[in-house]
Amino acid sequence: MAQPETLAELLNGRRAAVDASLPAVGFVAGWLAFGDSIWAGAITAVIVAIGLSLWRLRKGDKPRAVLIGLLVVCVAALIALYTGKAEDFFLIQLLSNAASVLVWAISIVVRWPLLGIVVGTVLGQRTRWRRDPALLRAYSRGSWVWVTQYVIRVAVFLPLYQAGYLAALGTARVLLSGPLVAACLAVSWWVIRRNLPADHPGLRHPVVDEPVQKAAS
């Protein structure tokens, strides 16, 4: 298979995962440093998120993606402040991972695997990849790795959240962000390669039988 790029290179997922974990670290650090103060944790998390946003904008990242990341942190901080429970800062993440399990699994069942949609969008293929049976099969099987990733997160986060173990939630947030995403990208890439024929031209070149144009009579 003539495909030099890995999923990590195409999707840049590890960097995004690391960035997403830093505000959570800031929240826990502020909460601990100021005597279990949710306000201190919330302010620290938002400051970290703003700093990251400015850095990413300076690096040329898309403003929409940067602002969405900042908004998520602000909403998480507001939820914790509203409920008065520090662990609720992680509620959005817990719910989003639970939803991701369902959405990714359904996408595979209906033969629109999200991994294919994401990579196809990045490569500018729209849905052309789906007309390649080998790619469709490879993306479907690779997507199960991502389902597993989200299941692992829910299985770890849920009992910690229910017990209110904030420091443990922060630690889990770091360990299950960059390292887990890196592992997920590597394993799903391996699954894709294993399920594509040896002579397949790669992700950038779906093998599609184009309709034969009839000659004008």
Side-chain angles (χ1 to χ4, degrees):
M1 181 179 64
Q3 178 60 41
E5 296 161 303
T6 65
L7 287 180
E9 292 168 337
L10 285 173
L11 303 181
N12 203 15
R14 285 177 290 187
R15 190 196 73 183
V18 171
D19 285 0
S21 67
L22 291 179
V25 173
F27 181 87
V28 175
W31 181 78
L32 290 172
F34 290 88
D36 298 353
S37 169
I38 298 177
W39 273 101
I43 292 171
T44 305
V46 171
I47 290 174
V48 172
I50 291 173
L52 282 171
S53 298
L54 294 175
W55 173 257
R56 288 307 170 197
L57 288 172
R58 186 178 179 184
K59 287 292 185 179
D61 285 17
K62 294 180 179 180
R64 179 190 295 181
V66 172
L67 292 176
I68 288 175
L70 177 59
L71 178 62
V72 169
V73 174
C74 291
V75 172
L78 287 173
I79 291 174
L81 290 170
Y82 178 77
T83 64
K85 297 180 179 179
E87 63 269 21
D88 281 348
F89 180 83
F90 296 88
L91 183 59
I92 290 180
Q93 185 194 5
L94 177 59
L95 294 177
S96 66
N97 278 279
S100 294
V101 172
L102 183 61
V103 172
W104 277 76
I106 290 175
S107 77
I108 300 168
V109 172
V110 300
R111 297 177 62 79
W112 279 92
L114 273 177
L115 187 55
I117 293 174
V118 172
V119 176
T121 300
V122 170
L123 296 179
Q125 297 169 345
R126 297 188 179 181
T127 60
R128 191 167 182 266
W129 57 270
R130 196 169 178 271
R131 289 185 282 153
D132 181 339
L135 267 181
L136 178 58
R137 179 178 63 253
Y139 281 137
S140 294
R141 294 178 179 177
S143 291
W144 282 117
V145 179
W146 291 74
V147 174
T148 303
Q149 173 196 209
Y150 294 119
V151 169
I152 290 173
R153 286 180 178 165
V154 172
V156 173
F157 283 129
L158 184 57
L160 294 177
Y161 171 79
Q162 290 176 327
Y165 293 154
L166 191 67
L169 279 168
T171 301
R173 182 73 172 92
V174 174
L175 295 178
L176 298 182
S177 292
L180 183 60
V181 169
C184 182
L185 288 166
V187 174
S188 57
W189 175 236
W190 177 81
V191 170
I192 288 173
R193 289 178 62 88
R194 288 274 296 182
N195 283 276
L196 286 179
D199 59 348
H200 195 280
L203 305 186
R204 289 186 178 274
H205 306 285
V207 179
V208 178
D209 292 329
E210 300 293 350
V212 178
Q213 298 294 330
K214 294 182 180 181
S217 54

